[in-house]
């Protein structure tokens, strides 16, 4: 574990940013080379959304890993910002490619369709997080407030996973796996918090 | 190459490519991904094939596929195909009118509906090893819908035998209804006097009605139905308006005269 931590200390965060946008480059490459099948629009939308979820889950894994001695905290901001990037691109793909800028239909969806509402709420929750993901904001808000604000990540991840489960037909496994992962990671935090609080009440 | 006459019921839109039609399928018997059927349907045995025709018919029995086809004139029917997921294609089916087959087996006067079932063979249809839907896949039509000239049993597309991922060797095609009504790889047809159970309706009755006519004014609770994306139209092609009864309003609207289509969805 110590050697892993030493290694993590040596890796600069820009490496994570580069690695994080590689899948985006891959999607662009597949799009240009007709590698996304008969319906590239849906494939682009789905891949961007899944990547967003994967980075959200990745961000939620960092704290539990620290309980076991592995400290990757310095990468968490990068992971979170990459998640925001993918969710923003996912939303753009929906607006431009999927819905073809049909604003009236989208507005209708935004008030009528649960998976759109939940997804949009998740995205909205990520905006203040992305905006305050810099040292100046941490300083201005103070660590306590900043930490509290960034608990919105829990909501964003849950909303994203629920959005995926609700939008598919029937109950395929993959969306359920994401939801399971998010619920598990949040439950672990609740469990930990309970363990911390209990002695105080005793 | 299948010898098939052209039909005045074909539309003049440019059909999707064979590649698009055969690589983008919903056929949960082979997996839930759009590419799964193309990847997994290869092992399906489609010869020999027979269809059990029963219920309220004069000549019930298990008919070999060749016997089912006997005397039925094959036509090419270029139809719009609209999925409930709001994408669409244009497909050059080859098939014959279901009415021809029903007339041959003799529909009894008491029959009001036609029920269909897909093959169940988990060893060749890997998706059936998971309980994602209740197998067999079931669909149904009202008798007048089944007898309509637009309703065909399709045995091919693009002049060739039906590809396995598209429902070989024989499937239903009802072009004014959402795609899931057009049941694939049919092994059973029964005439009944009661509205038959249909798979998606059994799973989520609030979302999938028995009729499932393409209707831009009646929204699916989750997907908007006012517009659709034409598969293959290009990355920035956007959407097109969905047509009432998928553009077959002139031919089929009279079937539903007096029905409230927001109730009978």
């Amino acid at each position: 574990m110590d050697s892993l931590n030493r290694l993590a200390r040596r890796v600069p965060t820009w490496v994570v940013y580069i690695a994080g946008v590689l899948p985006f480059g891959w999607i662009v490459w597949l799009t240009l080379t007709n590698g996304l099948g008969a319906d590239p629009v849906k494939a682009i939308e789905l891949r961007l959304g899944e990547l967003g979820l994967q980075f959200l889950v990745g961000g939620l894994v960092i704290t539990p890993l620290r309980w076991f001695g592995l400290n990757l905290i310095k990468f968490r901001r990068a992971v979170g910002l990459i998640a925001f990037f993918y969710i923003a691109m996912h939303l753009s793909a929906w607006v431009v490619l999927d819905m073809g800028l049909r604003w009236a239909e989208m507005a209708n969806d935004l008030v009528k369709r649960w998976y759109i509402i939940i997804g949009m709420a998740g995205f909205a929750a990520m905006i203040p997080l992305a905006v305050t993901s810099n040292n100046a904001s941490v300083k201005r808000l103070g660590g306590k407030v900043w930490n509290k604000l960034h608990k919105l990540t829990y909501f964003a991840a849950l909303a994203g996973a629920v959005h995926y489960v609700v939008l598919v037909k029937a109950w395929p496994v993959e969306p359920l796996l994401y939801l399971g992962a998010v619920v598990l990671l949040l439950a672990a935090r609740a469990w930990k918090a309970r363990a911390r609080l209990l002695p105080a009440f005793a | 190459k299948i010898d098939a006459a052209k039909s005045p019921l074909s539309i003049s839109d440019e059909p999707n490519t064979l590649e698009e039609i055969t690589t983008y399928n919903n056929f949960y018997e082979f997996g839930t991904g759009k590419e799964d059927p193309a990847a997994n349907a290869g092992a399906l045995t489609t010869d020999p094939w027979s269809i059990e025709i029963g219920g309220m018919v004069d000549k019930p029995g298990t008919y070999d596929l060749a016997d089912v086809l006997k005397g039925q004139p094959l036509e090419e029917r270029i139809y719009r195909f609209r999925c409930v997921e709001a994408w669409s294609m244009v497909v050059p089916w080859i098939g014959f009118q279901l009415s021809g087959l029903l007339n041959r087996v003799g529909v009894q006067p008491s029959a009001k509906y036609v029920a269909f079932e897909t093959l169940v063979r988990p060893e060749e249809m890997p998706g059936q090893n998971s309980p994602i839907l209740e197998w067999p896949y079931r669909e149904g039509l009202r008798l007048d819908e089944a007898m309509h000239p637009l309703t065909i049993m399709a045995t091919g597309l693009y002049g060739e035998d039906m590809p396995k991922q598209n429902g070989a060797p024989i499937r239903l095609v009802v072009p004014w209804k959402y795609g899931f009504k057009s049941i694939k790889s049919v092994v059973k047809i029964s005439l009944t006097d009661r509205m038959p159970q249909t798979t998606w309706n059994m799973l989520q009755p609030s979302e999938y009605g028995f009729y499932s006519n393409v209707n831009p004014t009646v929204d699916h609770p989750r997907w908007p139905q006012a517009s659709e994306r034409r598969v293959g139209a290009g990355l920035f092609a956007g959407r097109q308006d969905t047509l009432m009864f998928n553009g077959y309003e002139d031919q089929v609207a009279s079937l539903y005269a007096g029905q409230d289509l927001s109730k009978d969805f």
Side-chain angles (χ1 to χ4, degrees):
Chain A
M1 199 62 86
D2 283 344
S3 60
L4 274 176
N5 280 327
R6 264 198 303 279
L7 180 70
R9 270 200 296 278
R10 277 213 306 274
V11 177
T13 49
W14 59 261
V15 172
V16 176
Y17 283 106
I18 300 286
V21 296
L22 282 179
F24 184 77
W26 178 237
I27 293 173
V28 172
W29 169 255
L30 288 176
T31 305
L32 296 175
T33 55
N34 270 330
L36 289 174
D39 190 5
V41 172
K42 271 286 142 168
I44 289 167
E45 199 174 68
L46 175 70
R47 279 171 185 245
L48 290 171
E50 279 191 336
L51 279 160
L53 261 179
Q54 284 157 10
F55 278 96
L56 273 168
V57 169
L60 289 181
V61 167
I62 288 174
T63 293
L65 282 181
R66 208 150 63 137
W67 303 339
F68 299 104
L70 181 59
N71 189 350
L72 301 175
I73 203 86
K74 76 174 208 192
F75 302 116
R76 193 166 65 178
R77 174 183 295 170
V79 170
L81 283 172
I82 294 163
F84 179 74
F85 167 74
Y86 280 111
I87 297 302
M89 294 309 288
H90 169 71
L91 175 62
S92 315
W94 179 68
V95 170
V96 179
L97 304 180
D98 188 344
M99 295 307 295
L101 302 176
R102 290 186 168 221
W103 299 107
E105 279 177 44
M106 283 186 273
N108 191 34
D109 286 351
L110 262 176
V111 295
K112 263 178 88 172
R113 272 168 245 293
W114 275 109
Y115 76 94
I116 303 264
I117 295 167
I118 295 167
M120 205 59 92
F123 173 73
M126 291 179 82
I127 296 173
L129 306 186
V131 171
T132 58
S133 282
N134 52 72
N135 293 340
S137 293
V138 180
K139 225 184 239 160
R140 206 174 54 240
L141 293 170
K144 235 179 168 163
V145 175
W146 189 93
N147 267 324
K148 217 169 207 162
L149 175 68
H150 280 248
K151 293 230 168 13
L152 271 176
T153 306
Y154 303 161
F155 171 75
L158 202 56
V162 170
H163 165 76
Y164 193 9
V165 169
V166 177
L167 76 92
V168 292
K169 287 201 293 190
W171 301 98
V173 178
E174 218 185 338
L176 291 172
L177 288 179
Y178 284 103
L179 183 59
V182 172
V183 168
L184 209 69
L185 287 165
L186 297 187
R189 284 168 166 79
W191 180 259
K192 189 88 173 170
R194 179 190 146 276
R196 225 180 15 241
L197 290 174
L198 268 186
F201 289 120
Chain B
K1 192 98 184 162
I2 302 174
D3 212 13
K6 299 234 174 293
S7 166
L9 292 171
S10 287
I11 58 165
S12 53
D13 293 27
E14 184 70 24
N16 279 84
T17 64
L18 181 63
E19 161 122 20
E20 285 159 356
I21 296 169
T22 56
T23 58
Y24 196 75
N25 307 98
N26 277 330
F27 197 172
Y28 282 16
E29 280 79 349
F30 297 105
T32 53
K34 294 283 186 291
E35 304 83 11
D36 291 345
N40 300 333
L44 180 66
T45 308
T46 54
D47 183 18
W49 192 274
S50 57
I51 302 182
E52 183 192 335
I53 305 179
M56 296 167 170
V57 293
D58 297 331
K59 286 172 268 183
T62 298
Y63 292 78
D64 189 68
L65 183 62
D67 195 12
V68 169
L69 298 177
K70 203 160 62 191
Q72 307 295 343
L74 289 180
E75 287 185 3
E76 183 186 62
R77 298 279 182 99
I78 303 172
Y79 282 165
R80 281 176 285 268
F81 184 90
R82 169 65 154 79
C83 180
V84 72
E85 295 163 351
W87 53 267
S88 65
M89 291 197 193
V90 175
V91 185
W93 303 109
I94 296 203
F96 60 91
Q97 290 182 193
L98 175 58
S99 60
L101 178 63
L102 294 180
N103 287 334
R104 194 179 136 213
V105 295
V107 177
Q108 295 175 351
S110 47
K112 291 190 181 69
Y113 294 92
V114 189
F116 303 84
E117 284 182 17
T118 295
L119 177 72
V120 178
R121 197 182 284 158
E123 59 279 19
E124 292 183 2
M125 303 174 114
Q128 288 178 338
N129 292 311
S130 111
I132 188 125
L133 297 176
E134 201 182 318
W135 315 109
Y137 192 86
R138 279 161 261 213
E139 260 310 334
L141 296 172
R142 214 168 55 189
L143 188 59
D144 58 344
E145 299 174 324
M147 297 300 281
H148 194 279
L150 282 170
T151 304
I152 59 170
M153 297 302 292
T155 57
L157 57 86
Y158 263 115
E160 305 286 345
D161 282 336
M162 188 66 73
K164 289 176 181 175
Q165 60 268 42
N166 294 85
I170 185 165
R171 64 171 290 174
L172 180 71
V173 176
V174 194
W176 72 92
K177 292 176 179 283
Y178 294 119
F180 65 86
K181 295 291 293 181
S182 293
I183 184 171
K184 302 183 182 82
S185 303
V186 172
V187 292
K188 193 170 173 190
I189 300 176
S190 350
L191 279 288
T192 115
D193 58 358
R194 264 193 278 172
M195 188 180 275
Q197 284 201 300
T198 58
T199 294
W200 283 99
N201 180 257
M202 289 157 68
L203 189 76
Q204 261 153 338
S206 63
E207 298 193 357
Y208 307 96
F210 173 80
Y211 289 97
S212 291
N213 294 315
V214 176
N215 188 337
T217 66
V218 175
D219 270 350
H220 179 279
R222 283 183 293 157
W223 299 286
Q225 298 295 9
S227 62
E228 66 201 46
R229 284 183 319 104
R230 176 67 58 80
V231 171
L235 211 52
F236 295 98
R239 293 181 162 244
Q240 58 191 59
D241 290 334
T242 289
L243 303 169
M244 188 64 201
F245 294 114
N246 205 22
Y248 299 96
E249 187 172 11
D250 290 349
Q251 290 115 300
V252 303
S254 59
L255 296 177
Y256 309 100
Q259 273 180 273
D260 179 351
L261 294 178
S262 63
K263 279 206 193 79
D264 297 337
F265 59 94

